[in-house]
Amino acid sequence: MKRRSRGFLIGGLVVALVATLGGMEALPGRDPGRADQAAGSGKDDEGGLLSRLGDAARGLVDGGSGRARPEVVSAGLFRAEKPLQGREWPPQKRVRELPGERTANTKTFQLSDGRTQAEISSVPVHYQDAQGRWQAIDTTVRPTSEKGYVQGNRTNTFTSLFGDTSKDLVRFEAGGR
């Protein structure tokens, strides 16, 4: 079944390629300046199979033939319109971090000219504390007063505790588990 549909697909692509690039202009008696002229006949052939296939294939590649094209492209400019000269911003300094704008993967800073700048990380840089505020992750292991454990860290998205006996060598907690 897959080979059969692959054969139809390849056949359709070959026909479209021949119709588009097959050189309708290269045929004898064809005037390259006239798109409506049939190959060698001197008559109009707007409805011919090769002509329609070629127009359809060209329409797929260049956005359509003779149809109204949208004036705006993704950058917000008309295709022929040149972009405006960019403005060079003077170097800015970070004034302060905005802790209320934090997320697990972002830090937001206030710049000296009033704009904001965000640092986005692919890995978490903050964790939520018991009050729901975002705090900076710190992976430093420090002495702990947790019973049975001598070292630990609670400033991450999970808690890690390290014991001094093989019975309680290590413990990881996340979400109360």
Side-chain angles (χ1 to χ4, degrees):
M1 182 70 180
K2 287 184 179 183
R3 285 185 180 206
R4 186 174 184 191
S5 50
R6 189 180 305 154
F8 285 127
L9 177 63
I10 291 172
L13 289 173
V14 168
V15 169
L17 182 67
V18 168
T20 305
L21 304 174
M24 295 288 287
E25 294 86 18
L27 296 175
R30 176 148 172 85
D31 179 8
R34 293 206 38 210
D36 61 348
Q37 185 183 42
S41 68
K43 298 180 181 177
D44 290 344
D45 182 39
E46 292 184 26
L49 177 63
L50 282 179
S51 175
R52 287 187 295 178
L53 282 174
D55 288 344
R58 273 186 227 92
L60 287 173
V61 174
D62 69 4
S65 60
R67 294 190 203 119
R69 294 187 179 122
E71 292 185 19
V72 178
V73 294
S74 63
L77 300 173
F78 183 70
R79 286 185 181 184
E81 186 177 1
K82 299 283 184 213
L84 298 173
Q85 274 302 105
R87 177 178 160 195
E88 188 170 326
W89 290 89
Q92 299 299 317
K93 292 175 58 178
R94 290 180 176 173
V95 176
R96 65 186 177 102
E97 184 188 356
L98 303 172
E101 301 291 321
R102 286 180 178 173
T103 67
N105 295 50
T106 62
K107 287 183 178 188
T108 305
F109 298 92
Q110 174 94 36
L111 299 178
S112 58
D113 68 351
R115 294 180 297 149
T116 58
Q117 180 184 57
E119 275 186 12
I120 302 171
S121 175
S122 61
V123 295
V125 292
H126 298 110
Y127 73 97
Q128 277 189 311
D129 63 12
Q131 289 78 30
R133 293 184 306 246
W134 292 102
Q135 303 293 334
I137 290 177
D138 179 13
T139 58
T140 307
V141 176
R142 296 184 174 87
T144 184
S145 59
E146 187 82 24
K147 185 177 184 211
Y149 298 96
V150 292
Q151 300 281 321
N153 181 333
R154 293 194 178 275
T155 58
N156 204 332
T157 56
F158 60 92
T159 298
S160 54
L161 300 167
F162 303 96
D164 57 356
T165 67
S166 60
K167 180 180 174 196
D168 291 321
L169 189 59
V170 68
R171 177 182 178 105
F172 296 106
E173 297 174 358
R177 296 179 178 203

